[in-house]
Amino acid sequence: MIQTLEWTDSGVRFIDQTKLPTEETYVTCTTCTQVANAIRKMVVRGAPAIGVAAAMGIALAVKTSKAETVGELKRDFDESCEAVRQTRPTAVNLFWAIRRMQDKFETLRIRPLGQIKQALIDEAKRMHAEDIAANQAMGRFGATLMPASGGVLTHCNAGALATCGYGTALGVIRAAVEQGKKIHVYADETRPFLQGSRLTAWELMKDGIPTTVISDNMAGAMMLQGKIAAIVVGADCIAANGDVANKIGTYTVAVLAKEHGIPFYVAAPCSTVDFNTPDGSKIPIEQRNREEVTHMAGKAIAPEGVQVENPAFDVTPAKYVTAIVTERGIARAPYEASLAKMAEAVQNVAIPR
Ligand code: MRU
């Protein structure tokens, strides 16, 4: 399995996603500030991977802290939480992971320093393992929705590289292929950062899953030609009503899917559902720098000084979503009720301490 990120004795090791697919290189971060920068620069990206990276960054800060009292350690801990909090605003898994580390710290306050440090490191490692297990569970549920054979379109990269392994949307595809389904993936290239052509194509080809890259504006034509039997994407944040924030361009795909009568599935862990956000209009959308649009591989492809918009995500209204696959099962409309029921199930599951 691709090692997207891992805790090592010398720091948090990431496959450098800014270099793929031409170079497979790894970077090791030894401070929380370095981890925060790796998230900001998209060395590591994808909502679940960002969450676990943040938890590991916090664990790193705690491990290397020179604090001599719990109060001092808490100050270093809070600082590290703030550093990762400021990186990317849309991926709700980031805030979920910070909160989980904070809750863990609260349960440890009366323990000796060494024990607190170790327990926080263990918590971050546990989140890593749980993420892979959640993706595999999602895969088992989601595979039942995939066609026995045919084209499946995906947008951006919601694969092993966007998670701790196996993937959400690509996990569903992987599980379907493991069950013997004959799936051919159509990967939208995903302008402007090209996660589809650079990352999705790279990891699927590594697994020998037939993949065709298309530019984003070809998706409608492929649907009209009958090449697409289903669509599956990931999510950065799902509002309580089932509205889905995901990579810019997802909304266009969902509307096209509706027009062509093609099922549009979203695969995401329960940690991506934000019950405090009632609908998609309240999801903060990250704006990224203009060079991602005006330049390609360092070369200008638009006139200097032209006005640019670069929202990294869009929101697909729940009415376009055929089903949401989580590690707890398949949710269908009305999502307020089906997602809330899944959350209850999650709260009933004791997180091992
Ligand atoms: O900007 P990115 O590359 O972090 O955006 C990633 C996506 O939009 C993914 O589809 C989403 O995070 C789900 S990843 C399992």
Side-chain angles (χ1 to χ4, degrees):
M1 197 186 281
I2 296 162
Q3 285 289 359
T4 305
L5 69 163
E6 62 177 327
W7 180 269
T8 73
D9 288 342
S10 44
V12 188
R13 186 174 179 263
F14 297 100
I15 188 166
D16 187 345
Q17 300 195 32
T18 64
K19 301 276 179 6
L20 289 170
T22 48
E23 279 175 49
E24 186 176 335
T25 52
Y26 292 80
V27 289
T28 299
C29 295
T30 54
T31 66
C32 185
T33 308
Q34 287 177 5
V35 171
N37 283 333
I39 296 172
R40 207 172 280 115
K41 289 184 181 156
M42 315 254 279
V43 168
V44 60
R45 30 68 50 203
I50 291 170
V52 175
M56 288 190 173
I58 295 166
L60 208 50
V62 166
K63 183 188 170 192
T64 55
S65 167
K66 304 261 182 302
E68 290 179 357
T69 65
V70 174
E72 286 170 13
L73 185 66
K74 182 68 168 51
R75 269 199 301 279
D76 289 345
F77 173 85
D78 287 344
E79 213 172 89
S80 68
C81 291
E82 210 38 46
V84 289
R85 187 190 302 283
Q86 299 299 332
T87 53
R88 299 196 66 194
T90 306
V92 75
N93 307 61
L94 169 64
F95 308 101
W96 171 87
I98 296 169
R99 196 174 54 235
R100 181 157 153 182
M101 293 298 273
Q102 286 169 329
D103 289 349
K104 187 71 191 175
F105 196 109
E106 284 312 308
T107 68
L108 296 165
R109 268 180 176 279
I110 50 162
R111 304 266 187 86
L113 280 186
Q115 274 187 28
I116 300 178
K117 289 184 175 193
Q118 192 53 53
L120 289 168
I121 293 167
D122 291 346
E123 187 71 359
K125 285 161 107 175
R126 191 175 297 128
M127 285 158 82
H128 185 278
E130 285 176 10
D131 183 61
I132 297 172
N135 293 336
Q136 287 167 338
M138 239 175 275
R140 283 191 293 276
F141 287 118
T144 61
L145 302 171
M146 292 293 103
S149 66
V152 173
L153 183 133
T154 190
H155 189 75
C156 193
N157 173 266
L161 290 167
T163 62
C164 298
Y166 205 67
T168 56
L170 297 193
V172 167
I173 290 171
R174 282 195 166 94
V177 170
E178 282 160 20
Q179 288 176 8
K181 293 190 171 184
K182 304 270 174 270
I183 287 175
H184 188 109
V185 178
Y186 285 82
D188 275 353
E189 75 172 345
T190 318
R191 275 280 292 153
F193 209 69
L194 308 180
Q195 289 94 330
S197 55
R198 293 190 303 108
L199 309 176
T200 294
W202 181 79
E203 70 165 86
L204 290 179
M205 284 181 76
K206 242 176 147 42
D207 274 8
I209 297 175
T211 304
T212 297
V213 171
I214 56 171
S215 62
D216 300 349
N217 51 3
M218 296 173 189
M222 296 297 136
M223 292 185 205
L224 189 61
Q225 289 167 26
K227 290 183 175 166
I228 312 295
I231 294 155
V232 60
V233 299
D236 279 78
C237 182
I238 301 175
N241 73 342
D243 290 352
V244 174
N246 191 49
K247 180 53 55 193
I248 189 76
T250 303
Y251 168 64
T252 317
V253 172
V255 174
L256 282 167
K258 182 119 185 157
E259 171 65 22
H260 293 90
I262 299 167
F264 178 88
Y265 301 116
V266 174
C270 289
S271 52
T272 303
V273 184
D274 182 1
F275 290 96
N276 296 318
T277 298
D279 64 70
S281 70
K282 309 287 187 308
I283 298 174
I285 301 294
E286 176 184 7
Q287 299 290 325
R288 291 190 62 86
N289 70 59
R290 51 180 283 118
E291 283 73 26
E292 285 182 0
V293 176
T294 58
H295 286 65
M296 200 169 263
K299 267 193 101 176
I301 53 164
E304 206 184 319
V306 70
Q307 289 185 41
V308 166
E309 289 217 27
N310 189 11
F313 303 98
D314 59 24
V315 175
T316 298
K319 68 175 182 182
Y320 294 108
V321 179
T322 311
I324 298 176
V325 182
T326 79
E327 72 275 33
R328 296 263 137 213
I330 298 171
R332 291 188 187 264
Y335 291 106
E336 277 94 348
S338 57
L339 291 174
K341 198 158 170 235
M342 259 170 211
E344 264 168 43
V346 170
Q347 275 153 18
N348 289 340
V349 173
I351 296 166
R353 294 182 188 278

